[in-house]
Amino acid sequence: MVTRGFFGKGNDDLDKKRLPPGQYLENRFPVLSAEPTPDINLLDWKLSFSYNNEIMAEIDWNSLNKIKSTELTKDIHCVTRWTKFDMNWRGVSVQNIIKSLDLEVPSDWVMIGASTGYTTNLPTEDLLREFTLIAYEYEKKPITPEHGGPIRLLVPHLYFWKSAKWVSSISFIDEDKPGFWENYGYHMYGDPWKEQRYS
Ligand SMILES: Nc1nc2c(c(=O)[nH]1)N[C@H]1C(S)=C(S)[C@@H](COP(=O)(O)O)O[C@H]1N2
Ligand SMILES: [Mo]
């Protein structure tokens, strides 16, 4: 006889290994925003790359949409302790955008900016990881405005505050600097597996 308990136990063990320390499993998709949700038309959206206050390149939706996209399914971890398994996203990897714009990376750190003023810092190395995306679909549908639509950053290997919603700028900087939440004491890097919540 197959009982629920039998499968339940197996799944629980598997789930525990997938949960970073101090996290609980969430089935809903909570909204966490420091700002009011902006209304951004996809056709008005732009992402700039800059260094020393000079714009190196800009990309709009039309050009972004021509670059090979990446679909991925990842567990996402928020510093407020929720983890949601198997979140499905589509977007273009920042790596591929930089290649297609033929940009030379000028520094080891970046400050990510949103059109709302939100900022968050990252090592350039993490920005260029295969799965760091400029994302425009969640579960095969356009990302909704409250979740950062039409376009947000997705850095699935770090706590979710690094995944800036309404992303609009990537500024290369010579030295690491705190962004919005990092200024309030959040960790400069934010690895969920090392529980890097606060500095
Ligand atoms: N622009 C912007 N991006 C943001 C935030 C924010 O307040 N503003 N919050 C961050 C935090 S703390 C989390 S947990 C996730 C939440 O994304 P969600 O609202 O889609 O769940 O977005 C991150 N990106
Ligand atoms: Mo968060």
Side-chain angles (χ1 to χ4, degrees):
M1 197 178 95
V2 175
T3 66
R4 256 195 96 195
F6 178 83
F7 283 114
K9 186 166 184 299
N11 287 336
D12 282 355
D13 287 351
L14 183 70
D15 287 0
K16 269 182 205 131
K17 280 197 202 118
R18 283 174 72 177
L19 271 184
Q23 297 293 109
Y24 72 88
L25 191 56
E26 173 64 74
N27 291 314
R28 297 165 312 136
F29 187 0
V31 172
L32 284 130
S33 306
E35 330 89 285
T37 297
D39 181 11
I40 303 165
N41 187 318
L42 190 57
L43 298 177
D44 295 332
W45 175 87
K46 263 192 309 195
L47 175 69
S48 67
F49 290 85
S50 62
Y51 182 53
N52 286 335
N53 295 320
E54 250 178 62
I55 294 190
M56 305 160 70
E58 281 186 319
I59 187 162
D60 63 7
W61 167 247
N62 257 327
S63 313
L64 185 79
N65 201 21
K66 287 181 188 133
I67 309 173
K68 179 177 133 29
S69 68
T70 301
E71 181 183 354
L72 47 83
T73 299
K74 293 280 182 193
D75 300 346
I76 298 292
H77 317 293
C78 172
V79 70
T80 61
R81 299 185 182 273
W82 60 263
T83 286
K84 190 167 164 56
F85 286 165
D86 296 321
M87 296 183 86
N88 173 265
W89 304 90
R90 180 180 293 281
V92 180
S93 69
V94 178
Q95 197 186 85
N96 280 344
I97 296 175
I98 287 188
K99 264 187 224 147
S100 102
L101 293 173
D102 206 16
L103 283 184
E104 263 194 57
V105 165
S107 72
D108 290 342
W109 304 94
V110 289
M111 186 63 77
I112 306 297
S115 53
T116 50
Y118 183 86
T119 54
T120 190
N121 57 315
L122 281 178
T124 301
E125 195 184 321
D126 293 72
L127 181 76
L128 297 182
R129 286 230 196 154
E130 185 182 1
F131 298 136
T132 300
L133 301 187
I134 297 295
Y136 47 84
E137 279 180 19
Y138 170 66
E139 304 289 343
K140 323 250 179 206
K141 293 197 199 89
I143 296 176
T144 56
E146 68 273 21
H147 287 300
I151 298 192
R152 77 180 295 164
L153 182 68
L154 182 73
V155 190
H157 64 285
L158 298 178
Y159 280 126
F160 207 25
W161 88 77
K162 297 287 181 181
S163 295
K165 306 197 277 189
W166 316 296
V167 66
S168 63
S169 65
I170 296 178
S171 308
F172 288 95
I173 49 182
D174 288 324
E175 274 171 56
D176 197 13
K177 275 196 297 201
F180 179 81
W181 282 119
E182 294 83 9
N183 257 317
Y184 283 102
Y186 280 24
H187 198 276
M188 289 295 273
Y189 185 62
D191 181 344
W193 293 99
K194 295 184 180 155
E195 237 190 320
Q196 294 174 336
R197 297 177 195 275
Y198 311 106
S199 284

